[in-house]
Amino acid sequence: MAYSEKVMDHFANPRNVGKLEDASGVGEVGNAKCGDIMKMYIRVEDGIITDVKFNTYGCASAIATSSMATEMIKGKPVSEALKLTNKAVIEALDGLPPAKVHCSVLAEEAVKAAVADYYRRQGIEMEIPGCDGHCDGCHLHEA
């Protein structure tokens, strides 16, 4: 299983690791099959994600995708963060082995779960792109 230089860099030197005590939104997702767990924290000011942190328990790909996802949404409007896809994360990392694509899906879900929590705290109903509200285990609709 070959990893790109970017994957190895984000694994060995992950960006934005930690916890935001005063987070505007927090999302936690996991994959029971592989045991990976991602927790994403966002701080939002005037509709912009001004800070983002993550804690991930998992393999090199899980850590790298979490790190890259935080880099991709930091400084962006919340609405743009909702458009983040696992494919965009994979491309930004110059690819992932097929057996590790699920890690990028978790990173996408963690971002969307943090935004969903932010919207809930603001009393805003949100529509999650690509979701019909009948997901099985995506954790985006938990109150």
Side-chain angles (χ1 to χ4, degrees), residues 54-130:
F54 79 92
N55 287 314
T56 293
Y57 175 81
C59 64
S61 295
I63 292 167
T65 57
S66 299
S67 174
M68 180 57 80
T70 63
E71 289 287 282
M72 294 175 78
I73 67 168
K74 194 173 191 176
K76 303 281 196 248
V78 175
S79 59
E80 195 171 318
L82 274 177
K83 295 175 187 173
L84 180 74
T85 65
N86 74 300
K87 289 178 183 168
V89 174
I90 291 171
E91 287 173 11
L93 288 169
D94 294 336
L96 282 177
K100 295 299 182 177
V101 169
H102 69 275
C103 295
S104 66
V105 173
L106 281 179
E108 175 187 338
E109 287 183 351
V111 168
K112 290 178 179 175
V115 171
D117 182 52
Y118 164 71
Y119 279 151
R120 268 193 297 275
R121 292 179 188 201
Q122 300 300 308
I124 301 168
E125 276 196 46
M126 70 172 277
E127 189 173 309
I128 300 166

Side-chain angles (χ1 to χ4, degrees), residues 27-49:
E28 184 172 351
V29 296
N31 183 315
K33 261 191 197 174
C34 65
D36 293 341
I37 299 171
M38 294 182 185
K39 194 163 193 176
M40 189 88 51
Y41 306 84
I42 58 172
R43 180 176 302 124
V44 180
E45 295 172 17
D46 298 323
I48 305 294
I49 297 173

